[in-house]
Amino acid sequence: MNKITILIADDHKMFRDGLKEILGKEKNIAIVDEAADGIETIEKMQSKQPDVVLMDIDMPGLNGIETTRQILQDHPETRVLVLSMHSDSKYIISMLEAGAKGYILKTAGKEEMITAINTIASGDSYFSSQVSSRIREQLQESRKGKNTRQHHGQMPLTPREYEVLKLIAQEF
């Protein structure tokens, strides 16, 4: 059985060290490298070519959304799993449009993270229950056709964002 190779992209060293400690105990996972920002992540992709990138959104220089776009442009076979504190649908949709295959919150536990890694490495998508709930809520708001988002200073969904949310709600 081949190990799933992983590159960790997060600007917090303690968080990266924690992930290495947790994932280093898994027999089917190998951490090949880590990066503290988007530029470093893209540079390390060239030599390491991991199966999965664990991607933070908020990083200095080049954020996780743009980093994901660039990685997948050059390495379309790579799977990106977002590990973020952001549960707002605008971040979720932006990362999905950039090509991420999974999205879990940093509040998730070890077992859920390992499940997510294995799921996206096998070619499927994975979204934590909180992320899925947020997507369903956004889709329901869009279906109702209410303008509540405009009253709260948020932009309505674009047709593409609506399409992505609809597919996610259908578990694609």
Side-chain angles (χ1 to χ4, degrees), residues 6-20 31-50 52-64 67-68 71 81 83 106:
I6 294 183
L7 171 66
I8 301 169
D10 194 289
D11 59 327
H12 296 98
K13 179 157 180 40
M14 188 179 298
F15 186 75
R16 292 192 314 269
D17 289 347
L19 287 176
K20 289 188 296 189
I31 306 296
V32 295
D33 213 336
E34 63 182 281
D37 61 49
I39 302 295
E40 185 181 8
T41 303
I42 291 168
E43 289 169 358
K44 290 189 175 187
M45 281 296 300
Q46 301 305 319
S47 60
K48 304 298 181 178
Q49 298 186 9
V52 174
V53 176
L54 301 182
M55 183 72 69
D56 186 21
I57 294 176
D58 292 328
M59 293 189 293
L62 197 60
N63 69 33
T67 302
T68 297
I71 285 172
L81 173 61
L83 298 179
K106 287 185 174 179

Side-chain angles (χ1 to χ4, degrees), residues 81-94:
L81 173 61
V82 181
L83 298 179
S84 179
M85 63 181 188
H86 296 293
S87 61
D88 190 312
S89 61
K90 72 178 182 178
Y91 290 104
I92 297 167
I93 292 166
S94 293

